[in-house]
Amino acid sequence: MNHGTTKDLCRVVSTFVPKTGHHTTVESSATLQHHSDVVQDTASVHLEFTDNDSFRKIDALFGCSNPVICHAGNSTSPPRERLFKKTAPSISGKEDLHLLLQQETNTMAALLSNQVAALLLLLCYIGPSAAVLFSSLPQTLRVTASPSPGQVLHAGVDEITVTWALNQSLPAGTDSGYKKVKVTLCYAPVSQTDRGWRKTDDHLKKDKTCQFKMATRPYAATGTVTYTVERSIPTATFFVRAYVLDASDTEVAYGQSTDPKKTTNLFDIAGITGRHASLDIAAACFSAFSIGALAFFFVIEKRKAKK
Amino acid sequence: MGDSGKSSLQVEPSDEQATRFKMPVDSEQKATEFWLFSFAAPHMQAFHLSWFSFFCCFVSTFAAPPLLPLIRDNLNLTTTDIGNAGIASVSGAVFARLAMGTACDLVGPRLASASLILLTTPAVYCTSVINSASSYLLVRFFTGFSLASFVSTQFWMSSMFSPPKVGVANGIAGGWGNLGGGATQLIMPLVYELIHHIGGTRFTAWRIAFFIPGLMQTLSAIAVLALGQDLPNGNYRKLEKAGDKHKDSFGKVFYHAVTNYRAWILALTYGYCFGVELTIDNIVAEYFYDKFNVNLRTAGMIAASFGLANIVSRPGGGFLSDWISTGYGMRGRLWSLWVVQSIGGVLCIVLGLMHNLSAAIAVMLLFSFFVQAACGFTFGVVPFVSRRSLGLVSGMTGGGGNVGAVITQLIFFTGSRYSKETGITLMGVMILCCTLPISLIYFPQWGGMFCGPRADATAEDYYAAEWSDEEREKGYHSPSVKFAENSLREGGRRRRPSPTVPVEATPTHV
């Protein structure tokens, strides 16, 4: 993994050529720069416009094949330039970066005549990046779970009702990519200590905190699921977390029923023991049979030796 | 199989005794050939009964590790609990092996092994009713006692097979028994999946699965009692009653074992071949899972392949030990033991340094062959250390193996002082150091690694020295004498005398 190296991965020069009339020289050059460090990769495309007016009309869409948070535009960039930045968490994998530049023409076509759409397709490898880091996910949902703090639920018997709602103080359009909500049951830190198989890892693919899926629902700004605790859930302390997935089933946001340090609103689940009376009896019988067989043979030995 | 039984060195039994057995035998009625696929009573039958019952003990002792992902959730175990139980599972057998050795000397391997196995089987059945970390530790501790049946296996083979074949008999019996540690990594998950599929919940299915190793143990022990026989001529009790066998005293047996320094050296070195094998059985699945990010099933298969190498590696060690002794006698056995175990140590160092998955698997397999063959080589030497206290010496060596496992796991694999790969490399260094004492083993009549034999020393003197004068007068030592005669080959090619020694007469002092 590179630390802070910058390299020009690809250089695309394209010229927008207007279909009709006005000469518009729009030179755009896109230099894709890859800056990667341990946490994230940044790909930026710098467009320079020789024509002031066309600059105003350019509407650039930044699209990614593996949807993560894309920040489009930078209002502080100098005039006639647009800097588009994409930030992606860098883990193993490759990503196709599609840069879609679309010219928007308006009916007036004052500057950029009509429908000229230049499509710049940039396919660049950003390097090792594709998987999602938990620290990169925004907490946009408010999640509440029905168990009260410290309540003990019984596996196979009790139910958990989870309600989620989109945080209303966020700007509109935050949930434009949201497709599904996956509600999961997650281990609290007290159930993770000294248990490496439940470890929390920032890379979601390696993370073992939330091992039980309660439900998956299509995305709605608010929702509720009711879940009966399955008999395979072990005895431990839990909280509830809901991941928001996009169209390609990648996590894009989350919400959880506890605080960021995972100390409040935790509840317990008492798992089934798996023991049955019949097992106890069978174990006792077989044990007795083994000892009995031994005693039997000892007695026979003694008798044989006596003869 | 090389030098077939009727070499001129083996003292011939009288015709009457010989015709009783299907197999050719020597003057102690021990088989001079080894027919792997036969069930000829009593020799080969004893072989099959003993290796299979020992195999079942290994299956039971290591039945929990492959099912740990379920057990640790069911019982809410921590890594510390699991580690402690792993150490407990091999520590019980340390003393049980010593006790077993004595028991074999006193009541015979058949009763000793069957009693041990039947008495530990309840621990296996009770694994299905545990519900806490402490009960988990207890059942693993008591189940682990059954590993002491290793001693009875070796003792029984040493009683049934003549010195030229004792190495291969011990090696196969030991190796195919140790196989259980690998087979169980495949058997238990399979049985669990079957039961889970039929309809049990996860947390019930694993409990039911433990009845399989329990049943295997019970049935194999009953077979040993019903079909087995201590010695070619019969069982201890019968022979003792008839006066054919002297009933020895515990104190004397104990004394002659603990005062024999060779027993202690072999106990130490066995701790660094067998002990290492047990340690690897406990940690290798987790090691591959964490370091190379393979999934649990793949890690389990890799773990199983380590134990499965025992099919050929340990018997190979025994066979090679016997084969080398035809040319180089006891000195050849000692040298080859040292060389093979040291190579195992080097490979262990290399294993910890491998960062590529296929390279690591390849090194691990090579390592398994050498370390398990070293176990086979060790028990090519053990039968000759003592005749009177054979059982206890076998027990000390076997117990030393488990001590090595406990110590190694405590130093290198508990807590986070060393990463697992550093621990493995350091374990390899420790193997090299603890194998050096083999050079100190010296038999006056056969020599040692660096010194030749003394001119006036004989095997008869060496073994007869374990008996006092009065005991010798009463003839108690006659089995030792016969054993000495049959061990003439351990002197190597140059030391073989040409005339055969007649059976009945006590050989005159050479």
Side-chain angles (χ1 to χ4, degrees), chain A residues 143 145 147-150 238-240 257-259 263-267:
Chain A
V143 174
S148 47
F238 293 90
F239 64 93
V240 176
S257 63
T258 182
D259 63 330
T263 52
T264 58
N265 285 337
L266 306 171
F267 55 93

Side-chain angles (χ1 to χ4, degrees), chain A residues 34-300:
Chain A
H34 176 208
H35 175 94
S36 78
D37 58 26
V38 202
V39 177
Q40 60 192 19
D41 290 351
T42 314
S44 56
V45 177
H46 188 129
L47 289 172
E48 274 184 24
F49 300 95
T50 52
D51 182 23
N52 262 339
D53 292 323
S54 37
F55 162 70
R56 278 186 305 208
K57 295 297 180 183
I58 293 293
D59 186 21
L61 267 165
F62 229 98
C64 309
S65 68
N66 222 341
V68 292
I69 305 299
C70 299
H71 305 289
N74 182 351
S75 57
T76 62
S77 54
R80 302 209 303 165
E81 283 179 2
R82 258 294 190 249
L83 180 67
F84 294 93
K85 246 191 185 164
K86 181 197 139 317
T87 312
S90 51
I91 314 172
S92 56
K94 288 182 181 149
E95 167 157 339
D96 294 340
L97 174 65
H98 300 270
L99 175 61
L100 230 73
L101 282 173
Q102 199 172 17
Q103 266 184 342
E104 187 185 80
T105 60
N106 62 14
T107 49
M108 299 251 303
L111 301 159
L112 299 168
S113 291
N114 18 17
Q115 304 76 18
V116 174
L119 208 74
L120 263 176
L121 214 73
L122 275 167
L123 281 164
C124 298
Y125 289 131
I126 293 208
S129 75
V132 188
L133 280 181
F134 181 69
S135 52
S136 71
L137 297 181
Q139 188 171 5
T140 57
L141 294 184
R142 287 218 175 90
V143 174
T144 49
S146 58
S148 47
Q151 181 182 353
V152 178
L153 301 168
H154 293 274
V157 174
D158 291 326
E159 288 178 347
I160 303 176
T161 307
V162 180
T163 315
W164 75 83
L166 186 66
N167 190 346
Q168 293 307 320
S169 56
L170 294 171
T174 313
D175 57 351
S176 54
Y178 296 3
K179 291 284 179 272
K180 295 187 219 170
V181 174
K182 181 172 78 173
V183 186
T184 59
L185 200 54
C186 308
Y187 288 110
V190 65
S191 288
Q192 291 178 299
T193 52
D194 207 10
R195 293 175 177 90
W197 59 93
R198 294 179 184 169
K199 215 165 66 156
T200 299
D201 191 308
D202 205 26
H203 297 138
L204 280 179
K205 287 229 171 9
K206 288 191 192 172
D207 181 45
K208 301 267 193 299
T209 319
C210 304
Q211 295 188 11
F212 305 104
K213 203 170 70 172
M214 292 163 75
T216 309
R217 294 276 181 275
Y219 175 74
T222 63
T224 306
V225 288
T226 305
Y227 166 78
T228 309
V229 181
E230 280 168 21
R231 291 162 66 80
S232 57
I233 308 289
T235 304
T237 310
F238 293 90
F239 64 93
V240 176
R241 180 181 288 166
Y243 287 106
V244 179
L245 309 174
D246 71 356
S248 64
D249 278 345
T250 313
E251 294 85 356
V252 293
Y254 78 100
Q256 61 189 25
S257 63
T258 182
D259 63 330
K261 287 211 164 49
K262 298 183 261 186
T263 52
T264 58
N265 285 337
L266 306 171
F267 55 93
D268 294 314
I269 293 182
I272 58 169
T273 61
R275 293 178 58 183
H276 288 279
S278 50
L279 273 182
D280 296 350
I281 296 176
C285 285
F286 279 101
S287 305
F289 172 70
S290 303
I291 312 276
L294 184 62
F296 172 73
F297 275 98
F298 260 101
V299 166
I300 294 202

Side-chain angles (χ1 to χ4, degrees), chain B residues 397-441:
Chain B
T397 309
N402 282 59
V403 170
V406 170
I407 292 179
T408 311
Q409 283 179 89
L410 269 177
I411 298 179
F412 299 122
F413 300 106
T414 308
S416 33
R417 181 144 177 240
Y418 300 108
S419 66
K420 283 227 161 60
E421 52 258 30
T422 313
I424 291 179
T425 301
L426 290 175
M427 182 166 72
V429 174
M430 201 156 178
I431 295 176
L432 284 176
C433 296
C434 293
T435 305
L436 289 173
I438 295 178
S439 51
L440 299 174
I441 296 182

